[in-house]
Amino acid sequence: MTILADAAADAGPPTSPPAQRRGRLPGCVRIGLLLTPALTVVGVFFAGGVAQAIAQSFGYQPSLPGARISTDAYTALWSDPAVRASLLLTGRVAVVSTVLSAVLGVAAALTLRRLGRSRAWVTGVFQANLAVPHLVGALCMLLLLSQGGLLSRLTHAVGLTASPTAFPAVTNDRFGWSIIAEYVWKETPFLTVIVLATLSRGLQDLETAARSLGASRSQRLRHVTLPILTPALAAGSVLVFAFAAGSYEVPYLLGRPYPATLPVVALQYYNATDLTSRPEAMAVAVLITVTSSAIVAAYLTILARLSRRAL
């Protein structure tokens, strides 16, 4: 007891709760310090890259003699009909792929949720293509959907087409059907995983309460299930849209040389031996960023309004 009393006397009076609180950092400062490494990487590689692209799109090339600051690159792009066609193709492919993936992802998640013991292995089979690279998926679409592919040969074998080449051209086509098919095939399981994670967070209790109050199945879907799924679905859809609008390898393999998607056009400008075309390449990159941001903002606004209306 004497030893304990001496140790307590040496340690001094106990620290009061206000003193402990004064020694702690505010929550926002602590979170900011913890996120500093990740924010530094994002700031250097994303913000720095965007700033450099904007500067070069206006002609900032200190190492190139005769270069001057101007808007010539944007004027040249606006007057080029190939770039306008590429803009429409990129927007169409990204929007259609995102909407189809979101609809199919929600439908698949709601269906998988109803399964019993077989849910685990069915979900595993459904999500098996998540580990497949997009380039491999594009090659699979080419072997499956091209006029010399598996589907064209099957339709010829059963007498639906006169020859494999008579199969409708859905690869390297003007609309971008095969590009959309590859994105939907890859991104639907990704959105299904996100929706399934949201469905397991107490949604069953809310649906049970709504059912006990007399809500029908469609009313529970519109007023309970979909509003809860909307935030996670919107976040996942933004990722899908950003990838579909900025991806290069899939449209390069499955698309046409004209019109090509904007990432393909940007790389064509960038790989030109004439360095004076570098501002056009950066202007295309800036155009992709601005267009994607505008479409994502409109998409999130529409989803938020639909969610509030449903509530």
Side-chain angles (χ1 to χ4, degrees), residues 61-98:
Q61 291 181 292
S63 60
L64 192 64
R68 60 184 180 84
I69 303 299
S70 68
T71 59
D72 294 346
Y74 292 97
T75 305
L77 291 182
W78 182 251
S79 60
D80 190 353
V83 174
R84 294 200 296 269
S86 299
L87 179 62
L88 292 177
L89 175 63
T90 305
R92 179 171 65 235
V93 168
V95 170
V96 174
S97 302
T98 303

Side-chain angles (χ1 to χ4, degrees), residues 186-292:
K186 275 289 295 177
E187 304 303 338
T188 296
F190 168 69
L191 292 179
T192 302
V193 172
I194 296 177
V195 175
L196 279 174
T198 307
L199 287 175
S200 60
R201 296 175 183 172
L203 180 61
Q204 186 69 36
D205 296 337
L206 295 176
E207 290 179 333
T208 302
R211 187 188 301 113
S212 65
L213 295 174
S216 63
R217 177 175 297 181
S218 62
Q219 289 174 330
R220 295 196 300 273
L221 178 65
R222 288 186 288 112
H223 300 288
V224 178
T225 306
L226 292 182
I228 291 178
L229 297 181
T230 297
L233 182 63
S237 300
V238 168
L239 296 178
V240 172
F241 180 86
F243 182 83
S247 176
Y248 161 76
E249 67 273 14
V250 175
Y252 182 78
L253 191 61
L254 297 176
R256 301 175 61 180
Y258 178 84
T261 59
L262 286 176
V264 177
V265 174
L267 193 63
Q268 290 171 351
Y269 276 117
Y270 190 84
N271 288 334
T273 55
D274 187 3
L275 292 180
T276 57
S277 63
R278 187 64 57 84
E280 281 83 355
M282 294 303 167
V284 174
V286 173
L287 182 62
I288 295 172
T289 304
V290 173
T291 306
S292 301

